[in-house]
Amino acid sequence: MLGLMQNHQLLISSLIEHAERHHSEGEIVSRRVEGDIHRYTYKQVAARSRQVANALDALKLNFSDRVATLAWNGYRHLELYFGVSGSGRVLHTLNPRLHPDQVVWIANHAEDSVLCFDATFLPIVKAIHSRCTTIQHYVMLCDAAALPADTGIPGLQSYEAWIGAHPSTYNWPQFDENSASSMCYTSGTTGNPKAALYSHRSTMLHALAGAMPDVLNISARDSILPVVPMFHVNAWGLPYSAAMNGAKMVFPGPAMDGKSIYELIESEKVTFAAGVPTVWQMMLGHIQTGGLRFSTLNRTVIGGSACPPAMIAAFNDVYGVEVLHAWGMTEMSPLGTVCTLKNQHLELSSEDKMKVRLKQGRAVYGVDMKIVDPDGDELPWDGKISGDLLVRGPWIIEQYFKQEGASPLVSGGWFPTGDVGTIDGNGYLQITDRSKDVIKSGGEWISSIDVENIAMAHPAVLMAACIGMKHPKWDERPIIAVVKKPGAEVSRDELLAFFVGKTAKFQIPDDVVFVDAIPLGATGKMQKMKLREVLKDYSLPGV
Ligand code: AMP
């Protein structure tokens, strides 16, 4: 017997409809690329999202066509979140920090039809548009008057003129909630970047779960500042959860330095902020130097990389701001675990509480996780034994875009995360290592294979191994260990200069270490654990 309840599809358009109806005066505040502060309400977001939808219909875009963005966190980007997905198209948030060649590869792979970009990224778009083979329409996120002439970009128009030509009345289409809504590429593993393709259903369930009290605890009383970019897994789902609850949103635009972020937190009475440790490192530096305090901020979710103990201590003990240490992945929309305390933790000494807070936390409802040994057998939850972390759930990837048939899942429908960790008796995950061969610097990925391939292309290099080294600001920075060809010569600086232009600047290693040999395993694979032992006394330049 089936239940007799209404079968309403979970669609992203319903979020902005709800926000308009119930929180029409809820504020959206953005620091713009232009430098000023823009302020309006959910009522206007909704109206302008409908204009976006009409503008996309007028371009004769099909259902599921991709609309790409190269944009900071801001109100126009938010309108695209709702207008693009709500009208049945797929929002593809490109990462502007990547090398332009990578952006071209990704845009072509996604078969983007439209590209909407902030003025900051005009030079990138100028440089790449002729190689973007599927993009037919270019829109700069600016007023008509700010559109530069003679850019060479075919048909370039300003966002305001583009949507301004269309009415703000629109009937959001109803369709299957399993339809694709947005996509995000991750370069987390080796080879070409891979795309997670989210659905309306996965996004909506993730937004509901994300708002729960023991997750991010989002309410209409919140003023939320996502410093995490809208091109990083949909700003961790915050635009959706915020609209669902009518929370105020505050967008930092391109100004991500400690001073600008702090000023925005204070001026907009931010209660909750989200970002990677590097961002908070810079902000803590600013407030510590200036002897400043927070007047409204009460919690911050920190994830993307392990949160250092000193940061948790500073926020919790010095500034009275609760740290929600979280773990997740692009492939998980991204929320997996969040570290909120259970009842039995409340009586602990602050030292023991800190031990709990350092963990990445317990699974959000909807996420099933386990740790396994190399044979795939499940390991106990004793907080000591570590194993490969597997996850499954309704907002976790089943297949990568255009890789249908090559399922990333293992037996039982589990997704192997490439992370290694322990789980304690209370269900708290602690990430202890990473089995995937990548480095994460300031929240952005660096593929060690890509770095090695560039080094190996140098005529004097016989073998190269890239490893990540702990860094106080960026969490990790890559260095490269190099064996020179017999009789060949190359200096550290010459080799580092060889990387320039071949990869994004942040992906260039910080240092070169010349070694006689790189430890190899029986199958000829480089043994990076052993290499780390060889380099145990090494420290990064300037650290
Ligand atoms: P991304 O897909 O860019 O969101 O990166 C996901 C990966 O970042 C995870 O698989 C982890 O390797 C790492 N990561 C995310 N959050 C944390 C955390 N709190 N602690 C340690 N590593 C993390």
Side-chain angles (χ1 to χ4, degrees), residues 490-516:
V490 60
S491 70
R492 168 193 182 274
D493 292 348
E494 280 163 356
L495 196 53
L496 292 181
F498 186 69
F499 279 84
V500 176
K502 296 189 176 72
T503 189
K505 210 166 146 224
F506 76 91
Q507 293 172 330
I508 298 177
D510 273 14
D511 202 7
V512 179
V513 183
F514 292 103
V515 292
D516 295 334

Short mmCIF file of all heavy atoms in Angstrom, two decimals, residues 490-516:
data_model
loop_
_atom_site.label_atom_id
_atom_site.label_comp_id
_atom_site.label_asym_id
_atom_site.label_seq_id
_atom_site.Cartn_x
_atom_site.Cartn_y
_atom_site.Cartn_z
N VAL A 490 70.64 21.46 -13.47
CA VAL A 490 69.55 22.43 -13.39
C VAL A 490 69.53 22.92 -11.95
O VAL A 490 69.75 22.14 -11.02
CB VAL A 490 68.18 21.82 -13.80
CG1 VAL A 490 67.78 20.66 -12.92
CG2 VAL A 490 67.09 22.88 -13.81
N SER A 491 69.32 24.23 -11.78
CA SER A 491 69.28 24.75 -10.40
C SER A 491 67.83 24.75 -9.91
O SER A 491 66.88 24.63 -10.71
CB SER A 491 69.84 26.17 -10.37
OG SER A 491 68.93 27.03 -11.01
N ARG A 492 67.69 24.95 -8.60
CA ARG A 492 66.36 25.05 -7.99
C ARG A 492 65.54 26.13 -8.68
O ARG A 492 64.40 25.91 -9.09
CB ARG A 492 66.55 25.39 -6.50
CG ARG A 492 65.30 25.80 -5.78
CD ARG A 492 65.65 26.42 -4.42
NE ARG A 492 64.44 26.77 -3.70
CZ ARG A 492 63.78 27.91 -3.84
NH1 ARG A 492 64.21 28.83 -4.68
NH2 ARG A 492 62.69 28.14 -3.12
N ASP A 493 66.14 27.33 -8.83
CA ASP A 493 65.39 28.45 -9.39
C ASP A 493 65.03 28.21 -10.86
O ASP A 493 63.95 28.59 -11.31
CB ASP A 493 66.19 29.76 -9.24
CG ASP A 493 66.28 30.14 -7.76
OD1 ASP A 493 65.54 29.53 -6.95
OD2 ASP A 493 67.10 31.02 -7.42
N GLU A 494 65.96 27.58 -11.59
CA GLU A 494 65.66 27.30 -13.00
C GLU A 494 64.47 26.35 -13.11
O GLU A 494 63.58 26.54 -13.94
CB GLU A 494 66.87 26.65 -13.69
CG GLU A 494 67.94 27.65 -14.10
CD GLU A 494 69.29 27.00 -14.39
OE1 GLU A 494 69.44 25.77 -14.20
OE2 GLU A 494 70.19 27.74 -14.78
N LEU A 495 64.45 25.37 -12.23
CA LEU A 495 63.37 24.39 -12.30
C LEU A 495 62.03 25.03 -11.89
O LEU A 495 61.00 24.79 -12.52
CB LEU A 495 63.68 23.17 -11.41
CG LEU A 495 62.84 21.94 -11.68
CD1 LEU A 495 62.86 21.54 -13.15
CD2 LEU A 495 63.31 20.76 -10.85
N LEU A 496 62.06 25.88 -10.85
CA LEU A 496 60.82 26.54 -10.44
C LEU A 496 60.32 27.47 -11.55
O LEU A 496 59.11 27.56 -11.80
CB LEU A 496 61.02 27.30 -9.12
CG LEU A 496 61.26 26.41 -7.89
CD1 LEU A 496 61.44 27.26 -6.64
CD2 LEU A 496 60.11 25.41 -7.69
N ALA A 497 61.27 28.14 -12.22
CA ALA A 497 60.89 29.04 -13.32
C ALA A 497 60.25 28.26 -14.46
O ALA A 497 59.40 28.77 -15.19
CB ALA A 497 62.12 29.81 -13.81
N PHE A 498 60.64 27.00 -14.60
CA PHE A 498 60.12 26.14 -15.66
C PHE A 498 58.60 25.90 -15.51
O PHE A 498 57.90 25.63 -16.47
CB PHE A 498 60.89 24.80 -15.61
CG PHE A 498 60.57 23.85 -16.72
CD1 PHE A 498 60.95 24.12 -18.04
CD2 PHE A 498 59.90 22.66 -16.46
CE1 PHE A 498 60.66 23.24 -19.06
CE2 PHE A 498 59.60 21.77 -17.48
CZ PHE A 498 59.99 22.06 -18.79
N PHE A 499 58.11 26.03 -14.27
CA PHE A 499 56.67 25.81 -14.02
C PHE A 499 55.82 27.00 -14.44
O PHE A 499 54.62 26.86 -14.66
CB PHE A 499 56.43 25.57 -12.51
CG PHE A 499 56.72 24.17 -12.07
CD1 PHE A 499 58.01 23.78 -11.75
CD2 PHE A 499 55.72 23.23 -11.97
CE1 PHE A 499 58.29 22.50 -11.34
CE2 PHE A 499 55.97 21.94 -11.57
CZ PHE A 499 57.26 21.57 -11.25
N VAL A 500 56.43 28.18 -14.49
CA VAL A 500 55.65 29.41 -14.70
C VAL A 500 54.92 29.34 -16.04
O VAL A 500 55.52 29.03 -17.07
CB VAL A 500 56.55 30.65 -14.62
CG1 VAL A 500 55.76 31.93 -14.93
CG2 VAL A 500 57.19 30.74 -13.23
N GLY A 501 53.59 29.59 -16.00
CA GLY A 501 52.78 29.57 -17.22
C GLY A 501 52.24 28.19 -17.54
O GLY A 501 51.34 28.05 -18.36
N LYS A 502 52.80 27.16 -16.90
CA LYS A 502 52.34 25.80 -17.22
C LYS A 502 51.25 25.32 -16.27
O LYS A 502 50.59 24.32 -16.54
CB LYS A 502 53.53 24.82 -17.16
CG LYS A 502 54.60 25.11 -18.22
CD LYS A 502 55.63 23.99 -18.26
CE LYS A 502 56.65 24.20 -19.36
NZ LYS A 502 57.61 25.29 -19.10
N THR A 503 51.10 25.99 -15.17
CA THR A 503 50.08 25.61 -14.20
C THR A 503 49.69 26.87 -13.41
O THR A 503 50.37 27.89 -13.52
CB THR A 503 50.61 24.48 -13.27
OG1 THR A 503 49.55 23.99 -12.48
CG2 THR A 503 51.75 24.95 -12.38
N ALA A 504 48.60 26.79 -12.64
CA ALA A 504 48.21 27.97 -11.85
C ALA A 504 49.32 28.30 -10.87
O ALA A 504 50.03 27.40 -10.40
CB ALA A 504 46.91 27.68 -11.10
N LYS A 505 49.47 29.59 -10.54
CA LYS A 505 50.60 30.03 -9.72
C LYS A 505 50.65 29.28 -8.37
O LYS A 505 51.72 28.85 -7.93
CB LYS A 505 50.47 31.54 -9.48
CG LYS A 505 51.79 32.22 -9.29
CD LYS A 505 51.63 33.74 -9.40
CE LYS A 505 52.62 34.39 -8.46
NZ LYS A 505 52.05 35.48 -7.70
N PHE A 506 49.46 29.09 -7.76
CA PHE A 506 49.47 28.46 -6.43
C PHE A 506 49.85 26.98 -6.51
O PHE A 506 50.14 26.35 -5.51
CB PHE A 506 48.12 28.63 -5.72
CG PHE A 506 47.02 27.74 -6.24
CD1 PHE A 506 46.80 26.50 -5.67
CD2 PHE A 506 46.22 28.16 -7.28
CE1 PHE A 506 45.80 25.66 -6.15
CE2 PHE A 506 45.20 27.33 -7.76
CZ PHE A 506 45.00 26.09 -7.20
N GLN A 507 49.84 26.43 -7.75
CA GLN A 507 50.18 25.02 -7.90
C GLN A 507 51.68 24.81 -8.15
O GLN A 507 52.13 23.67 -8.26
CB GLN A 507 49.36 24.41 -9.04
CG GLN A 507 47.86 24.36 -8.71
CD GLN A 507 46.97 23.95 -9.86
OE1 GLN A 507 47.29 24.21 -11.00
NE2 GLN A 507 45.85 23.34 -9.55
N ILE A 508 52.44 25.89 -8.26
CA ILE A 508 53.89 25.76 -8.44
C ILE A 508 54.52 25.41 -7.09
O ILE A 508 54.21 26.05 -6.07
CB ILE A 508 54.49 27.09 -8.99
CG1 ILE A 508 53.87 27.39 -10.36
CG2 ILE A 508 56.01 27.01 -9.08
CD1 ILE A 508 54.32 28.70 -10.99
N PRO A 509 55.39 24.39 -7.05
CA PRO A 509 55.97 24.00 -5.76
C PRO A 509 56.73 25.15 -5.10
O PRO A 509 57.21 26.06 -5.77
CB PRO A 509 56.94 22.87 -6.13
CG PRO A 509 56.59 22.45 -7.50
CD PRO A 509 55.88 23.57 -8.17
N ASP A 510 56.82 25.07 -3.77
CA ASP A 510 57.55 26.10 -3.02
C ASP A 510 59.05 25.87 -3.07
O ASP A 510 59.83 26.79 -2.81
CB ASP A 510 57.10 26.09 -1.55
CG ASP A 510 55.88 26.96 -1.33
OD1 ASP A 510 55.26 27.33 -2.35
OD2 ASP A 510 55.56 27.26 -0.17
N ASP A 511 59.44 24.62 -3.33
CA ASP A 511 60.87 24.34 -3.26
C ASP A 511 61.21 23.09 -4.06
O ASP A 511 60.33 22.28 -4.36
CB ASP A 511 61.27 24.12 -1.78
CG ASP A 511 62.76 24.35 -1.53
OD1 ASP A 511 63.46 24.81 -2.46
OD2 ASP A 511 63.20 24.06 -0.41
N VAL A 512 62.49 22.97 -4.39
CA VAL A 512 63.00 21.78 -5.06
C VAL A 512 64.08 21.19 -4.15
O VAL A 512 64.93 21.93 -3.64
CB VAL A 512 63.64 22.12 -6.42
CG1 VAL A 512 64.19 20.87 -7.10
CG2 VAL A 512 62.65 22.83 -7.32
N VAL A 513 63.99 19.90 -3.92
CA VAL A 513 65.05 19.22 -3.15
C VAL A 513 65.69 18.21 -4.09
O VAL A 513 64.99 17.34 -4.63
CB VAL A 513 64.45 18.48 -1.93
CG1 VAL A 513 65.56 17.86 -1.10
CG2 VAL A 513 63.61 19.41 -1.10
N PHE A 514 67.00 18.35 -4.30
CA PHE A 514 67.67 17.38 -5.16
C PHE A 514 68.09 16.17 -4.33
O PHE A 514 68.67 16.31 -3.26
CB PHE A 514 68.88 18.03 -5.86
CG PHE A 514 68.45 19.08 -6.85
CD1 PHE A 514 68.54 20.44 -6.54
CD2 PHE A 514 67.93 18.72 -8.08
CE1 PHE A 514 68.12 21.42 -7.44
CE2 PHE A 514 67.50 19.69 -9.00
CZ PHE A 514 67.60 21.04 -8.68
N VAL A 515 67.72 14.99 -4.79
CA VAL A 515 68.05 13.75 -4.07
C VAL A 515 68.75 12.79 -5.04
O VAL A 515 68.67 12.95 -6.26
CB VAL A 515 66.77 13.07 -3.49
CG1 VAL A 515 66.17 13.88 -2.38
CG2 VAL A 515 65.73 12.84 -4.59
N ASP A 516 69.45 11.81 -4.45
CA ASP A 516 70.14 10.82 -5.30
C ASP A 516 69.17 9.81 -5.88
O ASP A 516 69.36 9.31 -6.98
CB ASP A 516 71.22 10.08 -4.48
CG ASP A 516 72.31 11.04 -4.03
OD1 ASP A 516 72.49 12.06 -4.74
OD2 ASP A 516 72.94 10.80 -2.99
#
